[in-house]
Amino acid sequence: MSLPKDHTAETKKLLKKVSKDKIAKWLLEEGYYPEQYIVPPSFKVNQFNLQLNPFFEIDNTTAGQPKFEPEKEELINISFPKTELTDRTFGIIAPKIYHDIIWYLTNDWDTILKSLFRANNKIHSYSFPIPITSKNEGEIGSLRAGRMIYEYLEMAENDLVAEAYNYKYILKSDIKNFYPSIYTHSIAWAIHTKETIRKRGNRNKFNDYVGLVLDKLFQYSNDGCTNGIAIGPAISDLIAEIILSAVDTECSKIMIAKGIDFIGVRFKDDYRFLCHSKQDAKLIIKTLQKQMALFNLTLNESKSQVIGLPEGLFREWTAEYQPFSLRYRKKISYKRFENSFRGTLNVDKRFEGTGVVDRFLSELYTKNQQLKFNFKDKELLKAISLLLMLKERRNKSFPQILGIIEQIIEQNKGKVKTVSKISSVFENLLNEKLKSIDDNQYDLLWLSYFVKSLDLFPIAFPKKINSELIKSLKNNKVEFFKPIPTDIKLFETVKKPTKNVLLLKHLAIFKNEIVE
């Protein structure tokens, strides 16, 4: 048995030990919002319980076939620049629809399990979104984003490396524009097969095929659109796993029938295969392309590559960054900070889109969120300026940068002039962003929370704000998906300074654990 196969067997075993009630609770409470770097701590589920019945029930009272018509809602979207030309957009699903997705899914949990773990699937997923753990069987762990990173490293730099000695090439590929390309009808195809769903009379058998219900709920969560599901909610990740499990299984059958010896793994939409020849790699990628097309998905040709082993097994940027690493430094001088900063920029320029900026930032403080530096006067202001400029290299790092500056302010709370200068920097930055709210929603969400939670200065919000999330921070109460049922609590008010969760603690994805 290969290590990836062992991993799948272990995941299945652990998942079966967790009750579906615990799974529903986690999906509702911990999986509702996107991961912690997308929205500030105010966007937190304080209460969201699974009801005895769904909000939208299947109507079996009319003559003929049953009907299922949830209320149409629109996603609340949060975007930040992914590149100079494109944005990455995350979505929040209306709570009643989100609840019902969980309700119907867990109500037919055995069917879902069969869809996730298929006997003939030889492409092993390392991206199961619910944080089950062998350390506490039968329970769900505390990590979410952190577990995903653990799983990726286990796949890419442990299991594949250990198995690679028996192969000559590694094939890498991923799916182009994956979540926005998911066809909601393919949810039912993946769970029940396309042939079954397309049989005459089956298209509206909502009582018999949970996939049809999930299809409709995801459509109606996005204003009736059949193309695309929300990026961010954990339930979207689970649905993505179901769809790709079906694709992977069909690919596995074909490749085995062709006599190809391979080890295949997948992390979300990122595929890697160990194989013996370039010819095998071509057959694998053609098989993937053909099966993807049946689900209205396409491979990203520009990112598909075949590399001779052992090259291609490692993240090259980690070796390049090593001389600049601050991980083992207990104290950091300004000179060393600046040297590491410049090294980070160079590595990031060579290896775009990697985690080097995040790594550098995480090494500026301890696992207990204490800064490793205590710069004075001009050096402190220079460091803040450099940190804010680093955001332009990696937009998702902005919350972490704010968390570090929050600790700088705490470090200097007795120095009125220093804090005043820092406040002035942020007042200018915030006011500039407020001139174009629609173009700066992500930055303004975090800046507004940062300023309000520290009570740095009054924010002059304009009267008209289109963003319901920014409006929620302005009014310090939930302003989206109104009216929300009274027993669903989706917002944590911003409190007085020192009473709010530290940003670095909110963003801590490893809960005091360090991953290389």
Side-chain angles (χ1 to χ4, degrees):
M1 185 179 281
S2 69
L3 291 174
K5 190 174 181 179
D6 289 343
H7 179 274
T8 297
E10 177 74 359
T11 302
K12 182 179 179 180
K13 183 191 81 171
L14 290 172
L15 184 59
K16 283 192 168 184
K17 291 185 177 181
V18 181
S19 72
K20 64 181 183 181
D21 289 340
K22 289 178 181 177
I23 288 166
K25 180 179 174 64
W26 186 88
L27 286 169
L28 288 167
E29 294 180 356
E30 303 298 330
Y32 178 71
Y33 284 113
E35 292 171 359
Q36 57 263 58
Y37 69 90
I38 303 301
V39 288
S42 283
F43 300 95
K44 175 189 174 186
V45 173
N46 285 322
Q47 184 177 323
F48 201 170
N49 298 318
L50 192 69
Q51 307 296 320
L52 290 176
N53 298 302
F55 288 102
F56 308 110
E57 299 192 53
I58 299 168
D59 182 1
N60 295 303
T61 61
T62 56
Q65 292 187 328
K67 293 183 178 180
F68 184 60
E69 288 294 324
E71 294 173 3
K72 277 187 184 176
E73 295 278 4
E74 294 186 23
L75 298 172
I76 298 287
N77 289 321
I78 315 108
S79 299
F80 63 79
K82 185 178 179 182
T83 67
E84 288 185 8
L85 300 176
T86 61
D87 286 351
R88 184 165 178 79
T89 301
F90 293 81
I92 301 171
I93 297 172
K96 289 197 289 186
I97 290 182
Y98 188 89
H99 170 276
D100 281 9
I101 292 171
I102 310 304
W103 194 97
Y104 284 104
L105 184 138
T106 54
N107 192 54
D108 206 348
W109 188 237
D110 287 343
T111 299
I112 299 302
L113 283 176
K114 289 175 185 175
S115 301
L116 286 165
F117 302 100
R118 301 168 192 253
N120 295 319
N121 188 4
K122 307 302 179 187
I123 300 172
H124 301 284
S125 170
Y126 281 70
S127 48
F128 187 72
I130 300 171
I132 48 178
T133 171
S134 59
K135 293 179 181 178
N136 195 3
E137 293 186 8
E139 301 296 329
I140 297 179
S142 58
L143 300 182
R144 182 180 171 186
R147 181 180 182 275
M148 288 289 97
I149 294 174
Y150 278 132
E151 290 285 272
Y152 175 80
L153 294 177
E154 186 71 15
M155 175 192 84
E157 297 190 359
N158 289 330
D159 292 0
L160 270 191
V161 175
E163 299 284 355
Y165 72 94
N166 203 30
Y167 296 87
K168 291 185 177 180
Y169 295 92
I170 183 168
L171 163 64
K172 297 182 178 182
S173 191
D174 68 13
I175 302 171
K176 188 175 182 179
N177 209 24
F178 179 40
Y179 283 77
S181 299
I182 289 177
Y183 187 43
T184 63
H185 293 338
S186 71
I187 299 170
W189 300 347
I191 297 172
H192 311 289
T193 76
K194 186 186 288 190
E195 292 73 22
T196 299
I197 294 301
R198 285 187 166 178
K199 278 184 182 176
R200 188 173 181 179
N202 281 357
R203 193 64 188 89
N204 294 308
K205 287 187 176 179
F206 297 104
N207 293 303
D208 299 330
Y209 302 113
V210 65
L212 294 174
V213 177
L214 296 174
D215 169 13
K216 186 66 74 80
L217 286 167
F218 272 96
Q219 278 184 53
Y220 280 41
S221 74
N222 193 18
D223 200 29
C225 295
T226 56
N227 283 326
I229 65 173
I231 302 174
I235 194 61
S236 293
D237 296 333
L238 189 59
I239 291 298
E241 286 296 310
I242 290 170
I243 292 170
L244 291 185
S245 175
V247 173
D248 295 348
T249 301
E250 291 307 309
C251 288
S252 298
K253 291 177 184 177
I254 293 167
M255 291 188 291
I256 290 169
K258 289 180 178 179
I260 301 172
D261 178 22
F262 69 93
I263 288 181
V265 296
R266 176 176 56 77
F267 181 81
K268 295 192 175 183
D269 61 342
D270 180 7
Y271 284 88
R272 300 190 182 191
F273 293 88
L274 298 176
C275 55
H276 292 289
S277 67
K278 288 186 177 181
Q279 181 62 28
D280 283 351
K282 288 179 182 178
L283 288 171
I284 290 170
I285 205 159
K286 284 182 179 179
T287 303
L288 274 176
Q289 286 172 330
K290 187 174 181 180
Q291 294 306 311
M292 291 285 176
L294 297 177
F295 283 79
N296 288 21
L297 300 170
T298 56
L299 285 181
N300 196 335
E301 290 186 23
S302 65
K303 291 187 178 180
S304 298
Q305 52 183 330
V306 181
I307 306 168
L309 295 171
E311 279 75 26
L313 286 173
F314 301 102
R315 296 171 297 161
E316 295 300 324
W317 68 265
T318 58
E320 295 281 337
Y321 174 71
Q322 195 59 39
F324 308 106
S325 174
L326 300 170
R327 178 180 175 183
Y328 297 107
R329 298 282 174 181
K330 292 184 178 180
K331 296 290 182 183
I332 302 170
S333 67
Y334 179 78
K335 185 176 180 181
R336 190 170 295 279
F337 165 85
E338 190 175 285
N339 182 62
S340 184
F341 177 89
R342 293 167 68 181
T344 299
L345 292 182
N346 288 332
V347 175
D348 183 65
K349 192 172 184 178
R350 283 197 61 199
F351 302 94
E352 292 184 12
T354 61
V356 65
V357 171
D358 302 328
R359 173 71 66 85
F360 165 73
L361 291 170
S362 71
E363 292 177 349
L364 296 177
Y365 53 91
T366 68
K367 63 182 182 180
N368 296 316
Q369 293 90 45
Q370 298 300 308
L371 297 181
K372 294 181 181 179
F373 61 85
N374 188 7
F375 304 147
K376 307 295 182 185
D377 305 324
K378 287 184 179 180
E379 287 184 346
L380 179 61
L381 294 177
K382 284 198 295 182
I384 290 172
S385 176
L386 291 175
L387 287 170
L388 288 173
M389 284 191 283
L390 200 57
K391 179 256 178 193
E392 300 306 317
R393 285 294 188 94
R394 188 164 172 84
N395 283 283
K396 67 174 285 189
S397 70
F398 191 41
Q400 195 175 11
I401 291 167
L402 292 178
I404 291 168
I405 296 172
E406 179 184 49
Q407 288 297 80
I408 290 174
I409 291 172
E410 172 63 22
Q411 205 177 54
N412 291 273
K413 61 184 178 183
K415 301 174 183 177
V416 177
K417 285 186 178 180
T418 300
V419 174
S420 177
K421 287 178 181 178
I422 296 171
S423 295
S424 179
V425 168
F426 280 94
E427 190 164 12
N428 292 335
L429 181 60
L430 182 63
N431 288 336
E432 191 63 32
K433 299 282 185 184
L434 283 170
K435 291 177 183 178
S436 183
I437 293 179
D438 292 343
D439 293 333
N440 294 295
Q441 184 194 27
Y442 180 73
D443 291 356
L444 283 168
L445 270 176
W446 284 96
L447 281 169
S448 299
Y449 177 84
F450 176 78
V451 170
K452 285 175 74 76
S453 67
L454 295 174
D455 196 20
L456 292 181
F457 52 83
I459 302 176
F461 286 106
K463 288 184 179 180
K464 185 179 179 182
I465 298 175
N466 293 326
S467 168
E468 292 162 306
L469 298 180
I470 295 176
K471 197 183 298 182
S472 296
L473 286 175
K474 174 188 175 184
N475 298 328
N476 211 13
K477 63 179 183 179
V478 67
E479 294 285 2
F480 50 92
F481 296 130
K482 294 165 68 174
I484 294 177
T486 55
D487 57 349
I488 298 177
K489 312 292 184 187
L490 302 179
F491 191 81
E492 177 93 6
T493 57
V494 184
K495 303 175 182 66
K496 293 180 179 179
T498 74
K499 301 296 183 183
N500 301 292
V501 63
L502 287 176
L503 283 180
L504 291 182
K505 191 171 184 180
H506 167 74
L507 295 165
I509 58 177
F510 296 117
K511 309 298 181 188
N512 294 340
E513 296 179 69
I514 296 176
V515 170
E516 267 294 349

